[in-house]
Amino acid sequence: MSASDTPLINKARGEVVACIGGKDLRLCVTLKALAELETHFDVTGFEALAAKLATMGAKDVWAVLKALVLDEIELPVLHISLAEAIEAIVAAFRAMNDD
């Protein structure tokens, strides 16, 4: 992928770029994403959400990834490994905490 194909990111906002399924995508933990995740996991609050994130299954990983990705994910997405999905999710949450 050329530099012109790499999405621009806003580091101050906590955006990160991750290669997912062979495509560079921007991810960010936004209030919208957090609200979507609270709805998906049927919880309220950061502590309850953190507990669910710590024990999520494959469907949950997909829901979290979709909530955090700022770019369009082209379907069908058949070439995403669990490892790269989790790596991208972790990177987004670390960026939110400025780690």
Side-chain angles (χ1 to χ4, degrees):
M1 180 163 286
S2 70
S4 64
D5 293 334
T6 302
L8 295 175
I9 62 167
N10 182 344
K11 289 185 180 183
R13 184 177 177 212
E15 292 180 12
V16 296
V17 173
C19 185
I20 302 170
K23 183 176 180 182
D24 284 345
L25 298 172
R26 294 174 305 135
L27 289 86
C28 187
V29 179
T30 63
L31 287 176
K32 177 184 175 195
L34 291 170
E36 289 175 11
L37 295 176
E38 284 184 336
T39 299
H40 171 79
F41 288 109
D42 193 27
V43 297
T44 302
F46 294 124
E47 288 182 14
L49 182 57
K52 291 290 189 174
L53 290 170
T55 60
M56 61 184 173
K59 286 182 183 179
D60 299 325
V61 170
W62 179 242
V64 173
L65 192 60
K66 286 191 328 185
L68 299 180
V69 170
L70 299 174
D71 303 302
E72 289 294 319
I73 300 176
E74 296 174 15
L75 296 175
V77 181
L78 301 176
H79 304 290
I80 296 177
S81 73
L82 182 60
E84 71 183 350
I86 291 173
E87 185 177 313
I89 291 166
V90 169
F93 277 97
R94 282 190 175 148
M96 177 188 77
N97 291 318
D98 199 28
D99 287 352

